[in-house]
Amino acid sequence: MEFFNQLWNNQPATVIGVGTATLVLLGFYIFLLNTYK
């Protein structure tokens, strides 16, 4: 947890970017799963 706190304090933009990218990829993956059932 300390690692995440340091990362958040040093580079909040990076944390937000990685989180957003993960959500987008996850949403795209679910979209593809639903399309090719």
Side-chain angles (χ1 to χ4, degrees):
M1 203 64 212
E2 185 64 33
F3 169 74
F4 286 111
N5 282 340
Q6 283 182 347
L7 191 66
W8 179 255
N9 289 333
N10 291 335
Q11 296 169 312
T14 302
V15 177
I16 293 168
V18 169
T20 304
T22 304
L23 286 174
V24 168
L25 285 173
L26 195 63
F28 188 64
Y29 176 66
I30 292 169
F31 170 76
L32 288 177
L33 280 179
N34 287 336
T35 303
Y36 298 108
K37 272 184 180 171

